[in-house]
Amino acid sequence: IFGSNASGNVNSSAGWYVGGLVGEFYEEWGAGYAYLISNSHATGDVQGYSQVGGLVGDFYTGNITNSYATGNVIGGDVEVGGLVGYFMGLNISDSYVTGNVNGIGDSTGGLVGKFDSGLFISDSYATGNVTGGGESTGGLVGKFEGNLLEGTDEEIRNSYATGNINSVGDYTGGLVGYFSGDTITSRVRASYATGNVSSTGDYVGGLVGYFYGAINETYATGKVKGEGIQGGVGGLIGSFTGRIRFPS
């Protein structure tokens, strides 16, 4: 999909795979083609049940580049994002979101609800407020799990989030709620968050709530409040396993 757009509101309150431009973007692995969404956008508000996104609800293969969404997004269950609800493709680059995101279940993010088995997010941002009703809520990504190719180093780079984050579940961060790459050298670099972060759950961070990997050239400036019993609350990271500095 290239150079395309949609401006109307989309409402399917009981529906899965709901998006401002595309509900489900799918192609079987191994078909030998390069699938992508490029230079496209959606500006309407989007409401759905599960896997809901301002641009795409469920993105299963390929890349998204130079695209954006500006509407508010509301999801009634899991995997809700300002750009993509559920992403199992390769990369997202040079893309942004300005609307607010509200998800009732797990994995709610300003840009992507759940980034599952991809490689990287680069040069992208989200500016809206994010409200999560379950685990893994983040200003850019709710839950980042990069394990598409065994042994690869997945990353978020040159990206940021500026909205305020509120959650009632564990794993809440100004940039990412839960980050776990395939290796300990999977990383977040040259990225930041400036919004306030508040959660009634555990593992709350100004940048990342729970982090497994490497991190460098990052910062967070917002206030952080966590009210969970087990704790794990930090100005930058709530719970950290890995390397604070990654060699270039």
Side-chain angles (χ1 to χ4, degrees), residues 1 21 36-42 54-56 59 62-70 82-84 87 90-99 110-112 115 120-128 139-141 156-162 175:
I1 297 175
L21 186 74
L36 77 158
I37 294 177
S38 178
N39 296 91
S40 298
H41 65 269
L55 190 74
V56 184
F59 189 92
N63 304 315
I64 296 176
T65 184
N66 290 304
S67 297
Y68 66 89
T70 61
L83 191 75
V84 183
F87 184 90
L90 293 173
N91 311 312
I92 296 174
S93 62
D94 300 290
S95 298
Y96 69 89
V97 168
T98 59
L111 189 79
V112 181
F115 188 91
F120 65 77
I121 295 173
S122 70
D123 302 288
S124 298
Y125 66 87
T127 61
L140 192 77
V141 182
I156 296 173
R157 64 176 182 260
N158 300 323
S159 298
Y160 66 88
T162 61
L175 190 76

Side-chain angles (χ1 to χ4, degrees), residues 40-170:
S40 298
H41 65 269
T43 57
D45 295 339
V46 180
Q47 182 172 358
Y49 181 68
S50 182
Q51 297 187 350
V52 183
L55 190 74
V56 184
D58 176 36
F59 189 92
Y60 192 72
T61 186
N63 304 315
I64 296 176
T65 184
N66 290 304
S67 297
Y68 66 89
T70 61
N72 297 321
V73 179
I74 298 175
D77 195 41
V78 299
E79 295 156 5
V80 180
L83 191 75
V84 183
Y86 178 81
F87 184 90
M88 195 177 179
L90 293 173
N91 311 312
I92 296 174
S93 62
D94 300 290
S95 298
Y96 69 89
V97 168
T98 59
N100 299 324
V101 180
N102 190 322
I104 302 300
D106 296 343
S107 302
T108 302
L111 189 79
V112 181
K114 184 174 182 180
F115 188 91
D116 188 10
S117 302
L119 290 177
F120 65 77
I121 295 173
S122 70
D123 302 288
S124 298
Y125 66 87
T127 61
N129 298 325
V130 180
T131 302
E135 293 185 349
S136 303
T137 302
L140 192 77
V141 182
K143 189 170 189 177
F144 184 104
E145 289 186 311
N147 54 8
L148 174 65
L149 301 173
E150 185 175 354
T152 56
D153 295 338
E154 306 83 11
E155 69 177 0
I156 296 173
R157 64 176 182 260
N158 300 323
S159 298
Y160 66 88
T162 61
N164 295 323
I165 315 301
N166 287 280
S167 169
V168 297
D170 296 341

